[in-house]
Amino acid sequence: MLILTLALVQGAFAFPWVANVQGVDSSILKRSALLERDTPDCPFNPNHQPAAPVTSKYPYNNAKDGKPGNGKGGYLVPAPGDTAHEFRKPNSKTDIRGPCPGLNAAANHGFLARDGITTYNELVDAQQNLYNVGYDLANLLAIAGVGLDGDLVGTGKLSIGCDATSRTASTGNLLADELGLNGHNHFEADASLTRNDYFLADGDNYRWNATLFTQMLEYCQGNCNLEALSKYREARYYQSVADNGNFFFGPGSLLLYGAASFLYELMPTAGGTADEATMMSFFGADKVNGEYVWNGGERIPPNWRARVEPYDNNKVGTQIIEMYLMNPVLFGGNVGRNNFNGLNFSTYIQDGKLNTDLGDNALCLIYQALTGGFPSQLGQVINLPVALVNAMAAEIAPMAENLGCPLNHNSGSSVSGG
């Protein structure tokens, strides 16, 4: 009954006539529209300021307005004298922060709006200017983030943490699901490197966890490289299987492997390694008497340079598959603790196992997960409005086609706006 109710609410958003169908209790739709959507303790800044722009004096990758930048890294960040992009510790009353240390650091340095209410174009620009992420991957991540947790078809806005729908939604978009990046099993997922599973911490899936951070660095042994993080990802997976009765590891969870690759591909200074000092800086940790403690803000390490070559879709796809196949695990979810059921999804996953005959293109599976609907097995349902799914498919289709992925029926320019 709960799932039916959710479907009706989402259906009324995409198809307003649902409320007038005989036998449908439309009062639930009216009540839902009146619900306060913002998280009660979500920070609020009445004087929102956009991200500090790049300038001719401090151009970085010269990415502006969501367009491609130079694609050439190796420069210092922040540039000497660039006070607009200096580190400033976030204000817990006004500045939203969430589960992604890379985005938190970008906001703390003004490459994203410092209050954590950002836009699609800011996300695309910041990834290029700060980390030298390739334009294609920067767009894919922005589409997934804003599409699943923000307002892709209206304002283009996203909260990088808590639900701030009143500040991200377009006028009249009362039923949109804009939980921010804290929203569980949208972009964020279980078995994070340094964050709790949602159901194991009363919904706190976004704050830094000292125990998990310590555990990660123990696996890394001074270098959080591909091999170390593959082993740690496997360990976190089995922790969730054992402890989290609601654990879900769907096709979109491959993004967790992509995010893990950022630790050694994006966070080290150009030519450097993902050592302890780098991880502590980007994850906002200090070491006191041998213990890691939260210091209040993720930041770029001193004398840090962006990677030289762009980190693009092809590179991240290769890293995702390599990391996964070093220590493969089943896709699916728990029905109670330690009671894991395998998932079937398209031709990519059968009985929980990834079909390796389909080649090494993890991004095709991620594309299918983002644009083909999320699995409804195991109680995991994300019922996105049709207009949003169509918009995401249309935006991602050119990238997927370039990668040789089979496209969904509603992909590309043939999508109707009706």
Side-chain angles (χ1 to χ4, degrees):
M1 183 62 190
L2 174 60
I3 292 175
L4 175 60
T5 300
L6 291 173
L8 286 171
V9 171
Q10 290 284 12
F13 171 68
F15 307 103
W17 49 265
V18 169
N20 300 317
V21 172
Q22 186 175 1
V24 172
D25 179 7
S26 61
S27 66
I28 64 171
L29 309 180
K30 297 174 183 177
R31 289 197 299 270
S32 297
L34 296 174
L35 291 176
E36 179 63 50
R37 293 305 310 275
D38 289 19
T39 305
D41 59 351
C42 192
F44 176 74
N45 185 349
N47 185 30
H48 168 80
Q49 298 293 321
V54 298
T55 64
S56 57
K57 187 175 182 180
Y58 305 115
Y60 299 100
N61 235 326
N62 206 33
K64 301 176 183 177
D65 303 320
K67 297 181 175 62
N70 299 330
K72 297 179 180 178
Y75 43 76
L76 280 169
V77 185
D82 182 11
T83 57
H85 291 105
E86 68 186 3
F87 171 77
R88 297 175 199 165
K89 187 174 289 189
N91 183 326
S92 61
K93 294 182 179 179
T94 59
D95 299 333
I96 296 170
R97 297 296 182 265
C100 177
L103 294 186
N104 291 345
N108 291 340
H109 283 271
F111 285 95
L112 297 177
R114 291 184 183 270
D115 66 0
I117 300 292
T118 190
T119 67
Y120 184 96
N121 284 352
E122 278 189 3
L123 286 166
V124 173
D125 294 345
Q127 291 176 77
Q128 295 179 84
N129 289 321
L130 172 51
Y131 296 113
N132 196 16
V133 171
Y135 184 65
D136 56 355
L137 179 55
N139 273 278
L140 177 64
L141 295 174
I143 290 165
V146 181
L148 297 178
D149 292 312
D151 189 355
L152 182 66
V153 297
T155 64
K157 292 182 179 180
L158 169 73
S159 162
I160 67 172
C162 48
D163 183 336
T165 300
S166 65
R167 287 162 276 166
T168 60
S170 20
T171 304
N173 198 10
L174 297 176
L175 293 179
D177 192 1
E178 297 180 22
L179 301 178
L181 290 183
N182 291 357
H184 182 54
N185 269 344
H186 287 210
F187 197 76
E188 175 277 338
D190 290 329
S192 165
L193 296 176
T194 62
R195 268 61 177 177
N196 298 311
D197 282 14
Y198 181 89
F199 290 106
L200 294 180
D202 295 324
D204 183 1
N205 58 339
Y206 50 90
R207 288 190 180 91
W208 179 85
N209 181 303
T211 300
L212 293 177
F213 183 76
T214 302
Q215 184 174 291
M216 181 180 79
L217 291 191
E218 287 173 351
Y219 273 82
C220 291
Q221 291 295 300
N223 185 6
C224 289
N225 58 19
L226 171 66
E227 292 78 12
L229 290 175
S230 177
K231 292 177 182 177
Y232 182 53
R233 284 242 41 82
E234 179 191 36
R236 288 290 295 124
Y237 173 94
Y238 284 114
Q239 279 183 324
S240 292
V241 169
D243 299 335
N244 182 0
N246 296 287
F247 176 51
F248 182 65
F249 191 83
S253 295
L254 283 177
L255 286 168
L256 292 171
Y257 290 85
S261 77
F262 297 166
L263 273 64
Y264 58 83
E265 292 286 355
L266 301 183
M267 290 183 177
T269 189
T273 59
D275 57 18
E276 180 189 43
T278 300
M279 296 299 100
M280 288 172 60
S281 183
F282 271 108
F283 280 84
D286 287 334
K287 204 169 188 178
V288 179
N289 298 324
E291 303 284 335
Y292 297 109
V293 295
W294 172 244
N295 64 24
E298 300 89 338
R299 67 187 301 170
I300 300 164
N303 302 312
W304 186 87
R305 293 180 181 272
R307 62 177 284 128
V308 176
E309 297 295 327
Y311 194 47
D312 59 19
N313 277 343
N314 286 322
K315 290 185 176 73
V316 75
T318 298
Q319 292 303 301
I320 288 172
I321 287 297
E322 285 190 17
M323 189 181 297
Y324 174 80
L325 291 181
M326 279 184 182
N327 296 281
V329 294
L330 295 178
F331 292 87
N334 270 351
V335 182
R337 291 173 56 185
N338 241 342
N339 185 18
F340 191 87
N341 289 349
L343 178 71
N344 294 313
F345 182 76
S346 184
T347 58
Y348 289 91
I349 299 170
Q350 295 297 319
D351 297 325
K353 296 179 181 179
L354 184 66
N355 184 353
T356 56
D357 292 335
L358 295 172
D360 60 356
N361 200 342
L363 293 182
C364 290
L365 174 53
I366 291 172
Y367 163 77
Q368 291 288 332
L370 291 175
T371 62
F374 283 71
S376 59
Q377 301 177 24
L378 310 168
Q380 304 292 336
V381 178
I382 298 179
N383 191 9
L384 300 176
V386 172
L388 174 56
V389 175
N390 285 352
M392 292 176 68
E395 292 290 338
I396 298 176
M399 302 180 217
E401 197 165 20
N402 288 339
L403 293 166
C405 303
L407 301 184
N408 289 328
H409 70 280
N410 60 345
S411 298
S413 58
S414 63
V415 173
S416 168

